[in-house]
Amino acid sequence: MPLDLYAERAYLEYAMSVVKGRALPEVADGQKPVQRRILYAMRDMGLAHGAKPVKSARVVGEILGKYHPHGDSSAYEALVRMAQDFTLRYPLIDGQGNFGSRDGDGAAAMRYTEARLTPIADLLLSEIDMGTVDFVPNYDGAFEEPRLLPARLPMVLLNGASGIAVGLATEIPPHNLTEVASACIALLDNPELDTAALMQYVPGPDFPGGGQIITPAEDILAAYESGRGSVRVRAKWEVEKLARGQWRVIVSELPPGSSAQKVLAEIEEATNPKVKTGKKTLTQDQQNLKSLMLSLLDRVRDESDSECPVRLVFEPKSSRQDPDEFINILLAQ
């Protein structure tokens, strides 16, 4: 066989194995193979939502030994992600212990954390023994695993998905369960519904950390129709009135991928900039931004806790400032 033909065939086979076996989810159940194996193994272990949680290390050992002959770190990272309520709109695993934070803190080692399934995982697993899906042999033929999970709702829309394969990538935002269920019922009643009609039920994505979507509806429709597009999200805030005409701004929701620590770091960079490499003094832009922020902002505090996952307090330099102008300058920066 000529070398170029062999290389082309080998590369295509490799690319397809990455696409199907690791990086991209199945539309049918919205899961990547490692996620599907985690859920099935935990169900096999009797770790339903009412059961006593067990050490994550034991779950990872079961997954590696029976279904997923890869590194333990990849399996545990997938398990952690499925337990984070700031990553998934509807977490499938109920994690006990430190499973990280939206500020970028990592999870504790698997020997310290515990896990069991959440009630919503039943959407994926409850009909698995009813002849609904095909089972295939595992990697050594000793056990069987489901080729897909019998999802009762399109989980690929509910939790979204993110992955990069060879020549392909996906970035599906999460959506609201009630809206998606209503759209499913409408589609069953009338299979001819187009995208615009379905958007009467699902107006757009619904991110786990909240935030305001400011993309126009027609742009979201174009993204749904073509499979390409972007969704702009900004923080959610309210102006809190205080005594004697004072006020402050409370930010209660942040866009996906951002955190209170990132916001504070950017404000610190603006108000106390560092001289750039190769320069002796601050640039004119840095000086302008510094004077603008110092004239606008008195102090910023992060009051986030277990009750309020996000609570950033912005206090203005003077209560005579216009709150809307104050907000617009903060958003612009």
Side-chain angles (χ1 to χ4, degrees):
M1 181 187 278
L3 182 60
D4 61 336
L5 277 180
Y6 173 77
E8 181 182 341
R9 194 179 77 180
Y11 189 74
L12 275 172
E13 285 176 1
Y14 158 68
M16 288 312 296
S17 78
V18 171
V19 169
K20 289 185 170 178
R22 284 212 297 273
L24 301 189
E26 279 277 358
V27 172
D29 60 5
Q31 306 304 302
K32 299 177 186 179
V34 65
Q35 296 169 325
R36 191 177 301 118
R37 287 163 175 166
I38 288 169
L39 293 170
Y40 182 65
M42 289 180 72
R43 179 193 172 275
D44 239 13
M45 295 170 72
L47 295 177
H49 55 86
K52 184 176 182 291
V54 303
K55 289 285 185 191
S56 301
R58 190 174 147 201
V59 177
V60 170
E62 181 87 357
I63 294 157
L64 300 188
K66 285 188 174 180
Y67 308 114
H68 197 68
H70 299 284
D72 58 352
S73 61
S74 64
Y76 184 54
E77 281 165 19
L79 187 150
V80 164
R81 195 174 177 281
M82 291 163 74
Q84 292 175 333
D85 59 1
F86 52 87
T87 301
L88 291 193
R89 181 69 182 80
Y90 300 101
L92 298 168
I93 289 174
D94 176 15
Q96 314 271 313
N98 174 17
F99 275 80
S101 74
R102 65 180 298 153
D103 288 331
D105 304 319
M110 67 178 93
R111 62 183 178 273
Y112 298 122
T113 59
E114 297 181 342
R116 63 182 172 189
L117 295 172
T118 57
I120 205 164
D122 278 352
L123 276 179
L124 287 165
L125 296 163
S126 61
E127 297 179 353
I128 204 158
D129 294 326
M130 301 180 189
T132 47
V133 290
D134 295 330
F135 279 74
V136 294
N138 72 333
Y139 65 91
D140 64 355
F143 302 95
E144 286 202 319
E145 60 176 311
R147 202 180 67 76
L148 292 168
L149 298 177
R152 293 163 67 193
L153 277 177
M155 194 60 77
V156 74
L157 286 180
L158 297 184
N159 271 336
S162 177
I164 298 173
V166 181
L168 291 170
T170 186
E171 192 69 52
I172 302 171
H175 294 77
N176 184 279
L177 187 146
T178 309
E179 293 172 357
V180 169
S182 301
C184 289
I185 293 166
L187 205 55
L188 288 170
D189 290 339
N190 179 8
E192 305 301 316
L193 287 181
D194 62 1
T195 312
L198 284 171
M199 279 188 69
Q200 300 297 313
Y201 303 95
V202 185
D206 183 7
F207 294 100
Q212 294 177 304
I213 294 174
I214 55 174
T215 303
E218 57 268 21
D219 291 0
I220 297 178
L221 172 63
Y224 282 146
E225 296 252 277
S226 66
R228 288 175 175 272
S230 60
V231 177
R232 292 176 70 85
V233 189
R234 72 178 179 194
K236 204 169 186 180
W237 70 87
E238 61 180 21
V239 177
E240 194 178 85
K241 304 287 185 189
L242 303 171
R244 297 190 295 280
Q246 303 292 313
W247 55 270
R248 60 187 186 176
V249 172
I250 309 293
V251 173
S252 55
E253 295 178 11
L254 287 170
S258 62
S259 71
Q261 292 305 312
K262 279 185 189 173
V263 173
L264 294 177
E266 285 187 26
I267 290 172
E268 172 64 20
E269 175 63 29
T271 55
N272 188 20
K274 305 285 185 289
V275 177
K276 291 183 177 174
T277 310
K279 303 277 185 181
K280 291 186 178 176
T281 59
L282 298 176
T283 64
Q284 190 61 48
D285 286 346
Q286 285 178 308
Q287 289 174 352
N288 292 345
L289 180 57
K290 178 179 178 178
S291 59
L292 172 68
M293 294 298 281
L294 290 176
S295 68
L296 181 80
L297 204 55
D298 186 39
R299 61 168 66 91
V300 187
R301 286 194 309 280
D302 180 9
E303 295 182 355
S304 309
D305 57 24
S306 56
E307 298 275 315
C308 305
V310 175
R311 183 179 164 87
L312 280 173
V313 181
F314 292 82
E315 296 185 356
K317 202 81 169 177
S318 164
S319 60
R320 289 192 292 274
Q321 291 181 75
D322 177 37
D324 289 338
E325 192 181 323
F326 178 82
I327 293 284
N328 286 337
I329 293 173
L330 284 180
L331 288 173
Q333 303 303 334

